[in-house]
Amino acid sequence: MYFAYKYTKIYYEKHGNNKKVILIFPGWGDNRKTFYKMIDDLKDDFTIYIFDYPGFGNSPIPHKDLTIYDYAEIFIEFIKENKIDLFIISSPFDFWMCYKSEWFENTKTAVIFYDLVPYLFEEYYFDCDFGKDIYMRNLEFVKNCDIIMPISKSAGEDIIKIGADRSKVEVIYSGVGDFFHKVLYTPE
C-alpha cells in the first residue's frame, strides 16, 4: 500500500488486525524487512504498520528533496489517519529528522537507544552547529519518550545519568537474527 504525501508516496504494510495499533519506523537506510521477525511475534496482539523511507525498499525516490519538516508532516499525518497508539523509533539520531514530543499528542513513543558517543565526543562528531543542534534536540526527545529501550545496561545507565526517568528505561540487549548461522571454516 502507499501513503501519498505532496510530491512523493511512501510504501507501507499493515500486519495484524487488533485494536492496539503500532507504527514502526526503521532507521535511515534500513527498510521494513528488518522487522519482519518482530512483526511476526506481535501481529496476533496488535495491528502493526511499517513503512519504507522515500527512496528505500518499495518507496520511490521523491521528485523533490524532502526536508526535516516534510518527514515530520508525513509521520504526523500517518499517525493521525491511522490512530497509532505506539510509535517505535529504531534510529532516533538520523540527522535528517528532528522529533518533537508535541507531534505525538495521543500516541506513546518508544525508542531504541544505542549510545551517547556523539554526546560524549562531540568534537569528533559535529563539524557544524546544525548537526549538533539536531542531535541535542533528538536527545531531549529520547529522554522524554514513554519507553526507552537501550541495547545495553551501560547505555541505559548513561541515558539515566543525563536525565531520563529510570522507570521508563527497559534494556533490550542486542541480538543476532535468525538469518545468521554457524559456517564451517576450513583454511586452505
Side-chain angles (χ1 to χ4, degrees):
M1 295 183 270
Y2 287 91
F3 179 74
Y5 171 77
K6 291 183 183 176
Y7 32 79
T8 193
K9 59 184 181 177
I10 310 297
Y11 178 81
Y12 72 94
E13 294 176 351
K14 178 183 176 186
H15 299 265
N17 193 20
N18 204 299
K19 289 183 181 182
K20 294 286 186 183
V21 183
I22 298 173
L23 171 60
I24 301 173
F25 188 34
W28 182 253
D30 210 347
N31 67 53
R32 72 200 180 286
K33 293 177 184 178
T34 305
F35 294 87
Y36 280 169
K37 174 73 172 109
M38 183 172 89
I39 289 169
D40 195 48
D41 291 343
L42 297 173
K43 70 182 179 187
D44 291 338
D45 299 315
F46 301 93
T47 297
I48 302 164
Y49 290 99
I50 186 160
F51 49 86
D52 292 328
Y53 282 101
F56 294 95
N58 289 352
S59 290
I61 296 171
H63 301 296
K64 186 176 167 187
D65 289 341
L66 299 176
T67 68
I68 59 175
Y69 305 107
D70 290 321
Y71 282 104
E73 285 181 22
I74 290 169
F75 302 118
I76 292 167
E77 289 305 312
F78 194 91
I79 286 168
K80 286 180 182 174
E81 276 188 31
N82 295 286
K83 298 179 177 68
I84 303 297
D85 296 304
L86 177 64
F87 183 51
I88 300 175
I89 304 161
S90 69
S91 186
F93 297 109
D94 291 334
F95 285 106
W96 57 268
M97 186 67 171
C98 189
Y99 298 97
K100 295 183 178 181
S101 297
E102 57 266 21
W103 297 347
F104 304 100
E105 298 167 351
N106 298 315
T107 300
K108 289 188 180 281
T109 53
V111 63
I112 299 173
F113 177 72
Y114 299 92
D115 60 51
L116 285 176
V117 171
Y119 176 81
L120 298 171
F121 301 100
E122 66 181 72
E123 66 274 13
Y124 299 106
Y125 280 84
F126 304 115
D127 58 356
C128 67
D129 289 337
F130 178 71
K132 182 179 178 183
D133 182 54
I134 290 176
Y135 179 87
M136 295 307 289
R137 282 199 248 165
N138 284 348
L139 184 57
E140 282 303 310
F141 172 77
V142 167
K143 292 187 324 187
N144 291 299
C145 281
D146 298 293
I147 304 165
I148 303 167
M149 301 177 288
I151 63 164
S152 69
K153 185 176 179 182
S154 62
E157 292 302 319
D158 285 346
I159 195 72
I160 291 166
K161 283 179 193 170
I162 64 163
D165 181 341
R166 182 177 295 277
S167 68
K168 295 180 179 184
V169 176
E170 184 66 40
V171 178
I172 58 158
Y173 299 99
S174 299
V176 177
D178 293 339
F179 56 89
F180 287 98
H181 58 278
K182 195 180 268 189
V183 175
L184 180 60
Y185 173 73
T186 53
E188 294 183 80

